[in-house]
Amino acid sequence: MKIVVCVKQIQNPEIPSAQFRIDEQAKTLIPVSGLQPVLSPFDEQAVEAALRIRDSAGEAADVEITIVTIAPKASRAPIKAALALGADNAVLLSDSVFDGGGGYVTARNLAETIRTIGDVDLILAGRQAADGDAGVVGLGVAEILDIPAITFARDVQINDGVVTVQRVLQDGIETVEADLPALVTISNELGKVRHASMRETMRAAKKPVKEWMPDDIGLDETQVGSSAMRYKLEHLYVPVNDIECEFIGGDTPADIAATLAQHMREAKLI
Amino acid sequence: MTDNNNGVLVVVEVLESQPIDLGLEMLALARRLTDSMGGTVTAVAFGTGLESTGETLIAHGADQVLINDNSIFANFHAEAWLPDLSKMIAEVAPAIVLIGHSESGTDLAPRLAFRLDVDVATGCESIEIMNGRPHMTRSCFGGLAREVVTFTKTPALATVRSKSQQALPPMMERAGEIKHVDSILDENSMRTRVVNRETEKADGVKMESAKIVIGGGLGLGGPEGFKTLNEIAELVDGAVGASRAACDLDWCPRSYQIGLSGRTVAPELYIAVGISGASHHMAGCGNSKTIVSVNSDPNAEIFKSSRFGIVGNSQEIMPALAEEIRKLKA
Ligand SMILES: Cc1cc2nc3c(=O)[nH]c(=O)nc-3n(C[C@H](O)[C@H](O)[C@H](O)COP(=O)(O)OP(=O)(O)OC[C@H]3O[C@@H](n4cnc5c(N)ncnc54)[C@H](O)[C@@H]3O)c2cc1C
Ligand SMILES: Nc1ncnc2c1ncn2[C@@H]1O[C@H](COP(=O)(O)O)[C@@H](O)[C@H]1O
């Protein structure tokens, strides 16, 4: 069985807000110097979901996990991290012609990459990338490949060519099935991801990483990156926050609580 | 918009025969957009028991309502909605399509975009017409930044964040047209099968409509902390929410999660207890009218978005607050 996991590499999304900088003129993020890019957290969990499927299928099942990413060449660390977790190989679209483009183009390019890989049974993606927070690419890939898609998974099981997903709802859980090939997007409820073992980390360096150009996936340069873009980024900015915090003090917790309760009553909330 | 302009089409979710607030909020946005660019506001509703939905939607700003009343739409299922919705959009040919940034909307809109071969802006907080083109402002980088995007193809598809707009007061005398449409769905074409659905009925006041919401985070120190929050919520007719970190540790039900990947609330008062104030959390409560936060760290990020702050131990402050409220109510 072949599983493809689509991963995006991004700046650590949990840095303190004081370190977060935007270049408004260039409409881009100013990377925090010295900070290595990471796998977007939901994508890391998508890798974990693939590994869990392989674990429960057993050695004999011959599950092959391929990581696919469109990312600048500069850093291969997140790809290596995914391989060290246990993925078998990777396909990297890293030429600068792939830069920019946004969700629409990314989905098109990933879909062609997956078509080129061929005979893929299951595609996993994150529910959304933790930089753009869009949540578009996974479903886009499924629509382009014309296969079923199930979103917001906390559990993914494969049995006899059928994928069974527990979907997270706001107020519960839904169990959804589809015949393979299918695409599933992973949510944080999937839970903890494993740590890379020493053995896999050593092996990771030797795992095959292919680098493909547009013609490897049957596209020309007008169909990739910013030249194929469907949207225009007009502005990118950090909103100003002009709230002045008034601290409520007091000698004892009871004093403080009494002041707060009084405020609430004056506001007619009690 | 000069090229093609049949206004704005709004997909309104209906739950238990009532359009959800977000649907009505989007109708208000749609009215504002058509005021500035012309065209009509079309609302579409899928579901069952939609007898009075048409009038409600017209009262809240729709000029035309397309009702698709069919038992297959009783529960949301993206794949089931797509053929009908695509057809409605092709017929109405709107310049803009608005879908709620809800659990269903986020599942539906990207699929629809690729089916219509257009781009989509998810999680929009505002949309404005400038130089005849819709400019969509959306949150990104976990809520730390905003981007404004425009598209090169129509319709412009957007999902709209809950509580980012204000619904119009209903005007029962508003005129509009209600059309019932027949579904074109071929059920055999459905490739995803829902085999089970388990929903937990939350008791107490619904978080989205509560005037007071109390959010708990890791600073509560454990699941017991939520007991005190629940007690206070009960006293003030409020609701309890949580940070993702608290949900991930099972200190509270996962349905409590407020934030980027959880619920959106905008109560009169949000009390954040033992929550650090990560942008991902604030994305779900930043529109609250007043935020009060309780945190043991005087430099906690949360104080930057709070009107009132209390530096202290939540395990002391919250029981004391419960006590004070009880006194006031006695
Ligand atoms: C892509 C992505 C999406 C996310 N989505 C969400 C989301 O939807 N919702 C969400 O909430 N988070 C979300 N997060 C996680 C978010 O970034 C934070 O990690 C999370 O909100 C932190 O939760 P917390 O404030 O409870 O915990 P912490 O950050 O650990 O903060 C605990 C706070 O409690 C204070 N404290 C400690 N002890 C006490 C005490 N005794 N009394 C009072 N205060 C005390 C500490 O000073 C600290 O400020 C997301 C993250 C990512 C990357
Ligand atoms: N550049 C990329 N390379 C590989 N996968 C991606 C890329 N961008 C997005 N994805 C996948 O699509 C998911 C949703 O991304 P987005 O629509 O950008 O929020 C991510 O969680 C990834 O799984």
Side-chain angles (χ1 to χ4, degrees):
Chain A
M1 184 169 61
K2 275 195 195 177
I3 303 179
V4 161
V5 188
C6 301
V7 303
K8 188 174 190 187
Q9 2 195 326
I10 61 168
Q11 171 164 292
N12 186 338
E14 294 191 280
I15 56 164
S17 66
Q19 284 184 27
F20 180 83
R21 293 253 149 53
I22 288 293
D23 180 343
E24 283 192 29
Q25 217 68 44
K27 296 180 264 192
T28 55
L29 177 77
I30 304 174
V32 176
S33 69
L35 197 66
Q36 280 286 331
V38 296
L39 287 176
S40 182
F42 302 117
D43 302 359
E44 194 179 16
Q45 287 175 301
V47 175
E48 173 66 26
L51 296 170
R52 288 185 195 171
I53 291 168
R54 190 169 65 189
D55 291 348
S56 65
E59 293 271 326
D62 196 21
V63 175
E64 178 186 349
I65 301 173
T66 301
I67 302 296
V68 174
T69 188
I70 305 179
K73 224 189 200 80
S75 168
R76 282 205 178 194
I79 290 261
K80 284 218 188 90
L83 294 174
L85 286 171
D88 298 295
N89 50 56
V91 176
L92 185 60
L93 307 181
S94 69
D95 194 86
S96 58
V97 293
F98 290 106
D99 290 353
Y104 179 84
V105 181
T106 301
R108 298 231 152 249
N109 296 173
L110 289 174
E112 292 318 320
T113 305
I114 291 162
R115 252 201 267 264
T116 307
I117 292 170
D119 299 320
V120 174
D121 300 289
L122 179 69
I123 305 165
L124 298 175
R127 62 177 288 169
Q128 64 199 54
D131 53 355
D133 302 326
V136 168
V137 170
L139 288 170
V141 168
E143 280 292 325
I144 296 162
L145 296 176
D146 196 19
I147 58 171
I150 304 172
T151 50
F152 313 143
R154 70 159 194 194
D155 184 69
V156 188
Q157 310 265 354
I158 307 280
N159 282 303
D160 301 327
V162 174
V163 60
T164 305
V165 173
Q166 283 187 18
R167 278 190 83 216
V168 177
L169 302 177
Q170 200 153 69
D171 58 352
I173 296 292
E174 189 174 71
T175 309
V176 185
E177 287 180 355
D179 296 340
L180 297 179
L183 180 138
V184 178
T185 76
I186 305 297
S187 191
N188 54 285
E189 289 80 2
L190 186 99
K192 281 217 161 52
V193 301
R194 68 196 62 194
H195 291 294
S197 68
M198 188 67 102
R199 176 169 159 269
E200 285 292 332
T201 307
M202 308 273 283
R203 288 180 57 201
K206 295 196 206 78
K207 289 179 179 175
V209 179
K210 287 184 193 142
E211 277 189 48
W212 284 353
M213 293 296 288
D215 57 357
D216 291 314
I217 55 171
L219 297 177
D220 63 47
E221 301 211 347
T222 64
Q223 293 168 302
V224 301
S226 51
S227 46
M229 228 158 123
R230 288 288 191 84
Y231 79 102
K232 183 160 180 260
L233 181 57
E234 306 279 351
H235 301 289
L236 179 66
Y237 62 95
V238 175
V240 285
N241 179 357
D242 51 10
I243 297 177
E244 192 71 54
C245 183
E246 193 178 310
F247 284 93
I248 301 176
D251 291 335
T252 64
D255 289 347
I256 298 172
T259 311
L260 176 56
Q262 207 56 49
H263 275 308
M264 288 166 73
R265 187 187 179 99
E266 277 157 23
K268 300 211 161 50
L269 289 166
I270 302 182
Chain B
M1 305 230 82
T2 43
D3 38 356
N4 94 351
N5 178 13
N6 288 312
V8 182
L9 183 141
V10 183
V11 180
V12 178
E13 267 174 75
V14 181
L15 283 181
E16 289 162 8
S17 298
Q18 285 300 317
I20 65 168
D21 290 350
L22 176 53
L24 305 181
E25 291 160 19
M26 288 192 292
L27 283 177
L29 172 61
R31 274 261 66 91
R32 221 168 326 113
L33 290 168
T34 51
D35 283 349
S36 92
M37 69 174 186
T40 55
V41 173
T42 305
V44 307
F46 287 69
T48 49
L50 305 180
E51 293 76 21
S52 62
T53 306
E55 277 101 60
T56 311
L57 299 182
I58 289 169
H60 280 91
D63 300 311
Q64 180 190 203
V65 182
L66 305 177
I67 301 264
N68 201 336
D69 197 325
N70 194 315
S71 60
I72 35 173
F73 301 128
N75 281 316
F76 171 77
H77 190 172
E79 231 191 323
W81 286 38
L82 281 170
D84 283 304
L85 188 53
S86 307
K87 179 165 178 261
M88 289 168 171
I89 292 171
E91 283 167 8
V92 175
I96 301 174
V97 176
L98 302 180
I99 296 179
H101 193 71
S102 62
E103 168 178 286
S104 339
T106 49
D107 189 35
L108 176 70
R111 301 177 198 253
L112 181 66
F114 282 85
R115 229 164 254 205
L116 301 176
D117 199 33
V118 298
D119 220 323
V120 55
T122 53
C124 293
E125 293 179 340
S126 74
I127 303 178
E128 261 165 89
I129 308 296
M130 279 187 279
N131 307 322
R133 300 160 63 80
H135 284 56
M136 287 149 289
T137 303
R138 61 182 298 278
S139 159
C140 52
F141 292 103
L144 288 174
R146 299 290 179 279
E147 61 181 16
V148 182
V149 300
T150 54
F151 294 150
T152 54
K153 279 190 77 178
T154 26
L157 196 56
T159 66
V160 178
R161 250 176 222 285
S162 166
K163 317 277 184 189
S164 62
Q165 318 291 321
Q166 244 184 344
L168 298 168
M171 277 176 28
M172 289 329 276
E173 62 279 13
R174 261 191 63 101
E177 196 185 346
I178 300 172
K179 284 188 202 155
H180 288 264
V181 295
D182 291 321
S183 174
I184 55 161
L185 176 67
D186 167 10
E187 281 186 74
N188 294 322
S189 70
M190 307 254 296
R191 294 172 300 187
T192 52
R193 309 175 284 276
V194 178
V195 292
N196 190 28
R197 181 180 272 132
E198 280 170 37
T199 49
E200 25 178 275
K201 269 270 165 278
D203 33 49
V205 188
K206 222 176 136 240
M207 212 190 283
E208 284 78 4
S209 46
K211 282 213 167 87
I212 301 181
V213 177
I214 313 175
L218 292 191
L220 283 181
E224 309 74 42
F226 277 97
K227 284 208 190 106
T228 318
L229 300 195
N230 275 310
E231 250 173 71
I232 299 176
E234 216 167 291
L235 286 168
V236 299
D237 274 334
V240 177
S243 72
R244 188 175 95 184
C247 295
D248 283 348
L249 289 174
D250 282 331
W251 289 3
C252 61
R254 103 110 237 139
S255 59
Y256 277 27
Q257 185 179 324
I258 291 175
L260 188 68
S261 37
R263 296 178 178 236
T264 304
V265 298
E268 297 284 309
L269 175 64
Y270 182 67
I271 310 182
V273 189
I275 292 180
S276 58
S279 61
H280 306 104
H281 182 78
M282 300 319 289
C285 60
N287 281 338
S288 305
K289 204 156 159 237
T290 304
I291 298 178
V292 176
S293 44
V294 180
N295 199 300
S296 54
D297 173 6
N299 297 316
E301 190 81 13
I302 187 88
F303 290 129
K304 290 188 190 149
S305 352
S306 305
R307 177 70 188 80
F308 296 103
I310 293 172
V311 179
N313 183 348
S314 67
Q315 285 156 5
E316 295 169 8
I317 304 285
M318 299 320 283
L321 181 63
E323 194 48 44
E324 289 302 325
I325 295 173
R326 253 186 236 111
K327 271 195 228 159
L328 281 181
K329 289 191 67 161

